[in-house]
């Protein structure tokens, strides 16, 4: 059996796993689904600050772009 590593993190007391990280020319977006309720999806902008990387909430325009990227890859 193959071992698969999954990136997880806690958001608001719930555990989420990383579904994918997608990028366009200027931004990267992280897609996360709740482990116990995979229909609960969170989308964040991945921001690089020197040597550190962190997640930032997306605004409505960024969310539209993030979903467009996801649909292009998976549909």
């Amino acid at each position: 059996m193959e071992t698969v590593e999954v990136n997880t993190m806690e958001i608001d007391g719930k555990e989420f796993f990383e579904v994918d990280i997608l990028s366009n020319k200027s931004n990267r977006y992280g897609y996360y689904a709740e482990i116990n309720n995979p229909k609960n999806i969170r989308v964040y902008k991945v921001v690089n600050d020197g040597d550190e990387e962190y997640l930032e909430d997306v605004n409505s325009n960024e969310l539209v772009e993030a979903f467009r990227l996801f649909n292009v890859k998976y549909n």
Side-chain angles (χ1 to χ4, degrees), residues 4-68:
V4 177
E5 290 188 34
V6 178
N7 291 331
T8 63
M9 66 182 194
E10 189 174 307
I11 304 170
D12 297 329
K14 298 175 182 175
E15 193 169 5
F16 285 75
F17 65 93
E18 181 181 292
V19 175
D20 205 345
I21 302 282
L22 300 175
S23 356
N24 62 12
K25 293 178 183 177
S26 56
N27 293 311
R28 291 175 57 217
Y29 300 101
Y31 305 82
Y32 298 87
E34 184 181 344
I35 288 176
N36 293 324
N37 180 13
K39 291 182 180 182
N40 185 8
I41 303 290
R42 302 286 175 100
V43 179
Y44 295 98
K45 184 158 101 175
V46 180
V47 179
N48 286 324
D49 185 20
D51 292 337
E52 295 198 26
E53 199 171 74
Y54 61 93
L55 301 175
E56 202 174 78
D57 287 331
V58 293
N59 64 37
S60 58
N61 291 333
E62 292 169 328
L63 187 58
V64 169
E65 175 62 9
F67 281 129
R68 185 193 71 74

